[in-house]
Amino acid sequence: MDNTINITLKVWRQRGPKEPGKFETYELKNISTESSFLEMLDVLNEQLVQKHEEPVVFDHDCREGICGMCSLYINGQPHGKDAAVTTCQLHMRRFNDGDTITIEPWRSAGFPIIRDLMVDRTAFDKIMQAGGYVSVNTGGIPDANAIAIAKPIADEAMDAASCIGCGACVAACKNGSAMLFVSAKVSQLALLPQGKVEAAKRVKAMIAKMDELGFGNCTNTGACEAECPKSVSISNIARLNREYLCAKFKD
């Protein structure tokens, strides 16, 4: 049985944020179906370098679905057609011999293109710096059972904390909204006693920074949850809205 395929790639190439971009077409032969999508891009870049051409710039780090850096549109879907996976976890066995694969960077005003397939996602860092932390002195490390937290609440907090900040939610949203990301980061702290002290300050600051950075509004289409590689629930957005309203009422 042949475990290789021949594919055609249409890759977005753009030399800089203010430069015009366009799709370039590349033919790849004998790509192993057991290789990951990023390994396939490595093969493409090796061939380009051998031809003394500029390799394709794309983000990657852990290649284990943890860091969230592998931010790519693949055939119009963030991270590709597999559910609940990042681009680095997508394998070439999900494609057929002769397929044409279109690869683009995130398309969002909040994530300007740096070069080719790499975008600037520091907007998420700025939102986190606005309030996604606990700064109060909570004392020494308590015994694991010293603070009673119901398991369903702890599970919800952990589910929210699974967000890796990849930006697929923004890329999938027709409004370019960052509400799923912000709500996950607010929820993971709002659900726990350590995070309740600064809850009102946190949610107001993070939403204000999100709006300042130009992200769109949420209209509850659910595309963010559908494309999230960690299946973060949009129920967190409802919690974010409740937290925000409560904070404004306190004002």
Side-chain angles (χ1 to χ4, degrees), residues 59 68-69 71 106 108-114 118-130 164-167 170 178 181-182 206 209-210 212-215:
D59 255 331
M69 292 183 68
S71 47
W106 285 165
S108 169
F111 298 144
I113 293 175
I114 297 174
M118 179 184 287
V119 299
D120 182 354
R121 291 185 296 120
T122 56
F124 274 8
D125 296 329
K126 293 174 182 176
I127 293 173
M128 290 299 290
Q129 289 164 5
I164 57 176
C166 67
V170 176
F181 166 77
V182 176
M206 293 181 74
K209 181 58 69 173
M210 175 184 70
E212 176 192 323
L213 293 170
F215 290 101

Side-chain angles (χ1 to χ4, degrees), residues 170-190:
V170 176
C173 179
K174 65 178 183 179
N175 307 317
S177 174
M179 285 287 278
L180 188 65
F181 166 77
V182 176
S183 68
K185 298 308 178 184
V186 165
S187 290
Q188 72 183 62
L189 296 174

Side-chain angles (χ1 to χ4, degrees), residues 151-167:
K151 189 177 186 304
I153 300 297
D155 287 346
E156 276 195 86
M158 289 299 292
D159 288 344
S162 68
C163 169
I164 57 176
C166 67

Side-chain angles (χ1 to χ4, degrees), residues 50-139:
Q50 289 173 358
K51 296 176 182 177
H52 303 289
E53 297 179 20
E54 286 284 339
V56 176
V57 176
F58 63 95
D59 255 331
H60 63 94
D61 190 6
C62 73
R63 299 201 177 199
E64 294 179 348
I66 298 170
C67 72
M69 292 183 68
C70 52
S71 47
L72 298 178
Y73 270 128
I74 302 167
N75 288 340
Q77 282 188 267
H79 295 305
K81 60 184 177 180
D82 274 358
V85 299
T86 53
T87 301
C88 62
Q89 295 173 303
L90 178 68
H91 283 78
M92 297 310 296
R93 57 179 171 267
R94 298 291 287 129
F95 300 93
N96 299 314
D97 186 53
D99 275 358
T100 297
I101 306 171
T102 303
I103 311 171
E104 302 172 75
W106 285 165
R107 302 293 192 182
S108 169
F111 298 144
I113 293 175
I114 297 174
R115 183 163 181 161
D116 293 343
L117 304 176
M118 179 184 287
V119 299
D120 182 354
R121 291 185 296 120
T122 56
F124 274 8
D125 296 329
K126 293 174 182 176
I127 293 173
M128 290 299 290
Q129 289 164 5
Y133 51 82
V134 173
S135 64
V136 295
N137 185 358
T138 57

Side-chain angles (χ1 to χ4, degrees), residues 3 23 37 40 46 53 65 71-72 87 115 143 152 156 161-162 183 194 202 217 219 251:
N3 292 321
F23 284 104
F37 198 86
M40 178 272 295
E46 287 173 5
E53 297 179 20
S71 47
L72 298 178
T87 301
R115 183 163 181 161
D143 180 83
E156 276 195 86
S162 68
S183 68
Q194 296 91 333
R202 174 184 306 111
N217 294 318
T219 50
D251 289 344

